[in-house]
Amino acid sequence: MVSLTSRFAALGRAPRASDPTDSPRLPWPLPIAPTLLIAGVILYGWWRAVHQQMVPMPGVAGDPRIAATLATLARLAGNALEAAFYVLSWRAFGHRIPFLRLYAWITLLSGADLFAFEMRQHFLETRGAVPVAAAIVSGIGGLPGSWLPRAFHAAFASTGLLTFARIAFTARAQSLATGVAFGRTLVFTGATWLLTHLALGFGYALLQGRSMPGLP
Amino acid sequence: MSRRIEQLFGCMAMSLVLVLVAGMGAWWWIDRATVYERPRWDEASFEAIAEAHAARTAAETWVVAVNPSCAHCLAGMSALADTLGSAPGAPRLFALVVDTAARPAKRSLSHPRLDGVFWDREGVWRARWGHRMYGEILRFDAAGDWIDVPRGG
């Protein structure tokens, strides 16, 4: 039986039997203390961003702080899930990626998403609309619409240069960890991003049905 | 963990993502291919919960789909009712209680600006119209035909 490693060798070089594959080659994105500090700042930024979105409505119970905390924890869990997916997927091809290090990379890189989100919000609050140039950087979600159906426009709201940079750096981390060519890890990471956001779009569209949200 | 088991887990992770996307995509495709009725406001299709106010003539009828367990959409409906003027020409405003098995209590949906509250006992809104978002506002013309205008881009 042909092993998976050789069958999918096109995804990268076949790992050698000796120690190089087992010793982590992926460095921490930064020394531990700055990593924790910046991760804390990013998490607080996400908490604050979600909290500001939750305008209390009269008659609606619930503490926005609790909701923001839950949303931030969910994001942290999402980062862990993403890291676990890459770790497991590369193991199928015989490569080992240290989970915690990749998790740290992904958590720090989520700062790009936060920056993009804050940029969109800044323009929406100060100008009422996001200029096209800013949307190219921060994501199409700032634009009132696109050729995409509404649900998919929402799912791909983050599509912009900052997201592409995050995908590229995530791929770079995997390339460093596995020794697989950057182009191939970029295709793998990009395809994963595309597929998961497609699933998100399908989910939004199913939740929406034929409804048209918003004020007339 | 043996390399074979690691490979198995890795394949399972990738397969899970592919199956999830394919499954969601197929479900979405089937839903898009389903032909739903075009919404039409006919009060006889629904059960009146609160007596309609004295009939007002209006060019449009706005119907807010609400569910009593959705505090957010109830608050949104109240906010809309607060801001919607009642001058001549202003739309009539109805609340349509959806996805509720038991007849809703009248007082839970009272608002002075509401022209009436109806209960979608037969599930017309979801099953026949294919609508699913609580709090959505459906616009109908004076004849009860749906004004299908995309909102918010």
Side-chain angles (χ1 to χ4, degrees):
Chain A
M1 182 180 165
V2 181
S3 74
L4 278 169
T5 305
S6 58
R7 185 176 293 170
F8 294 103
L11 274 169
R13 60 166 181 74
R16 282 166 285 177
S18 56
D19 60 327
T21 53
D22 291 334
S23 60
R25 287 185 298 164
L26 178 66
W28 290 96
L30 292 168
I32 299 290
T35 298
L36 290 175
L37 182 69
I38 294 173
V41 170
I42 290 169
L43 287 177
Y44 173 70
W46 278 119
W47 184 90
R48 193 170 152 270
V50 176
H51 187 258
Q52 283 175 344
Q53 292 292 303
M54 298 196 166
V55 182
M57 292 188 79
V60 179
D63 188 342
R65 287 172 299 182
I66 293 173
T69 304
L70 290 175
T72 307
L73 289 175
R75 182 165 287 276
L76 208 54
N79 291 345
L81 201 64
E82 186 181 352
F85 172 77
Y86 290 129
V87 168
L88 281 173
S89 298
W90 283 111
R91 281 194 182 180
F93 304 116
H95 297 287
R96 282 178 175 276
I97 299 180
F99 170 78
L100 276 180
R101 293 184 185 211
L102 186 63
Y103 187 29
W105 274 83
I106 288 173
T107 301
L108 293 201
L109 287 170
S110 76
D113 293 336
L114 176 64
F115 183 61
F117 178 83
E118 293 286 3
M119 189 189 286
R120 290 198 298 268
Q121 288 306 117
H122 168 76
F123 281 111
L124 286 172
E125 285 165 14
T126 57
R127 297 192 192 182
V130 179
V132 173
I136 289 170
V137 175
S138 65
I140 62 169
L143 299 173
S146 65
W147 56 272
L148 289 168
R150 193 184 183 103
F152 291 89
H153 182 80
F156 286 93
S158 64
T159 306
L161 291 179
L162 280 167
T163 292
F164 288 133
R166 184 179 66 76
I167 291 170
F169 276 102
T170 307
R172 172 70 180 148
Q174 292 169 72
S175 181
L176 284 173
T178 60
V180 173
F182 171 69
R184 287 169 180 162
T185 57
L186 184 62
V187 168
F188 182 61
T189 311
T192 303
W193 179 85
L194 184 67
L195 287 175
T196 49
H197 281 73
L198 261 181
L200 202 60
F202 292 141
Y204 286 162
L206 285 166
L207 284 174
Q208 182 183 322
R210 299 296 191 271
S211 292
M212 287 196 288
L215 284 171
Chain B
M1 200 166 18
S2 77
R3 179 148 291 174
R4 193 170 289 271
I5 291 175
E6 287 180 359
Q7 288 178 343
L8 181 68
F9 278 124
C11 289
M12 282 170 64
M14 287 186 287
S15 303
L16 198 65
V17 170
L18 289 174
V19 167
L20 177 76
V21 176
M24 295 282 286
W27 188 4
W28 172 78
W29 186 265
I30 290 166
D31 185 59
R32 296 311 297 172
T34 304
V35 179
Y36 290 101
E37 285 178 24
R38 185 178 173 81
R40 179 171 170 73
W41 184 247
D42 177 7
E43 292 178 13
S45 303
F46 308 102
E47 196 171 313
I49 299 294
E51 290 298 319
H53 293 173
R56 291 193 302 114
T57 51
E60 286 189 16
T61 298
W62 289 13
V63 178
V64 187
V66 293
N67 183 284
S69 61
C70 172
H72 192 268
C73 63
L74 288 174
M77 184 194 69
S78 292
L80 174 70
D82 288 340
T83 54
L84 203 62
S86 54
R92 294 191 303 165
L93 183 64
F94 292 121
L96 180 64
V97 182
V98 297
D99 291 347
T100 307
R103 184 187 171 89
K106 179 182 171 182
R107 59 189 164 80
S108 67
L109 286 151
S110 60
H111 191 287
R113 176 60 180 83
L114 278 176
D115 292 297
V117 180
F118 290 86
W119 175 30
D120 183 13
R121 183 182 195 141
E122 306 295 327
V124 171
W125 176 77
R126 180 177 290 274
R128 283 170 39 194
W129 294 354
H131 286 233
R132 290 171 199 155
M133 290 189 75
Y134 298 153
E136 77 159 325
I137 303 158
L138 295 116
R139 286 171 62 194
F140 299 92
D141 64 17
D145 291 324
W146 187 38
I147 304 170
D148 181 9
V149 181
R151 294 160 202 157

